[in-house]
Amino acid sequence: MTLSSVATRYAKALADVTATAASGLSPEDALSQLRAFASALAASRELENALTTPAVPTSRKRAVVGRIADVLKLSPIARNFLFVLIDHRRIALLGAILHSFELIVDERLGFARAEVSSPRELTDTQRGAINAQLERLTGKRIRMRVAVDPELIGGVVARIGSTVYDGSVRGQLQTLGRRLSTER
C-alpha cells in the first residue's frame, strides 16, 4: 500500500467521524485544529524527531501530544485522531492526511478545486467571472486558487482535476495553428 493510499484511508476515517452531527466538530474546525498541530510540529525539528522516531516510547509521545493539544485547545476528536496516528506510527503522514481530508470533504460538499493561472494578478471581478464560468462548466461549486504565471501572454488557464481549460492567448494561437495546418 502506498503512503498516499494510507493517508487517504486515515483522511476518509476522519471525514466519516466529523460528518456526523453527533461529533460536535465540523470538518472545517477539525482541519483548522489539526493544521495548528501540524504547524507546531513543523516549527520544531526536535518535536518532529521525538514523535517520529521509534526509540521514543508511544506513551511518552502520547503525553507530549496531549500537552500540545491542551495548549492548542484541540477538541477530543482531533486529540484522539492524533493519538491514533501516534499509536500506528503515522504521525509523519499528518500533512498528506490533511491534504487528502480537505479534498474528501470538498468532494462530499460538492466542491471542485481549480488551479487558475493568469499573466498578472486578477481583480475580484475577474475572479468572480472565472469562478462563475468554471461552475457552469463543471456543474459544481468551485474552490479556486489563482497563481500568476508570467509566461502567459494573456488570458487564463484553469485546471480542475485532470481537465485543463486553456483560455490563454498562447492556447488560442496553438489551436488556430492546428486548424490552419489541417486545412491545407
Side-chain angles (χ1 to χ4, degrees), residues 14-34 73-79 81 101:
L14 181 60
D16 290 343
V17 169
T18 59
T20 65
S23 75
L25 181 67
S26 71
E28 294 82 9
D29 289 341
L31 185 62
S32 173
Q33 291 178 19
L34 291 170
K73 295 179 175 50
L74 299 184
S75 67
I77 289 175
R79 177 190 304 258
F81 182 73
F101 176 70

Side-chain angles (χ1 to χ4, degrees), residues 4 9 16 22 31 37 47 52 56 72 85 125 130 134 136 142 144-145 157 160 167 176 180 184:
S4 65
R9 288 178 69 183
D16 290 343
L31 185 62
F37 181 86
L47 176 61
T52 58
V56 176
L72 295 174
L85 295 181
T125 304
I130 292 168
L134 292 174
R136 275 193 294 278
I142 298 292
M144 197 167 63
R145 190 171 77 192
V157 176
I160 302 174
L176 180 62
L180 289 174
R184 292 184 195 185

Side-chain angles (χ1 to χ4, degrees), residues 38 40-53 56 61 64 68 86 91-93:
L41 189 61
S44 172
R45 186 71 148 155
E46 295 82 19
L47 176 61
E48 184 177 355
N49 286 337
L51 294 181
T52 58
T53 185
V56 176
K61 291 178 184 180
V64 169
I68 294 169
I86 290 294
I91 198 71
L93 293 177

Side-chain angles (χ1 to χ4, degrees), residues 21-120:
S23 75
L25 181 67
S26 71
E28 294 82 9
D29 289 341
L31 185 62
S32 173
Q33 291 178 19
L34 291 170
R35 278 212 174 121
F37 181 86
S39 294
L41 189 61
S44 172
R45 186 71 148 155
E46 295 82 19
L47 176 61
E48 184 177 355
N49 286 337
L51 294 181
T52 58
T53 185
V56 176
T58 301
S59 60
R60 298 214 46 196
K61 291 178 184 180
R62 284 174 138 257
V64 169
V65 168
R67 281 191 227 122
I68 294 169
D70 288 341
V71 170
L72 295 174
K73 295 179 175 50
L74 299 184
S75 67
I77 289 175
R79 177 190 304 258
N80 290 339
F81 182 73
L82 291 170
F83 287 159
V84 167
L85 295 181
I86 290 294
D87 293 345
H88 294 128
R89 296 183 178 145
R90 299 295 190 198
I91 198 71
L93 293 177
L94 183 58
I97 291 168
L98 294 179
H99 177 74
S100 293
F101 176 70
E102 195 172 14
L103 295 175
I104 290 165
V105 169
D106 278 354
E107 182 180 314
R108 289 181 181 184
L109 295 175
F111 283 96
R113 292 187 169 268
E115 304 291 327
V116 177
S117 299
S118 69
R120 64 186 176 289

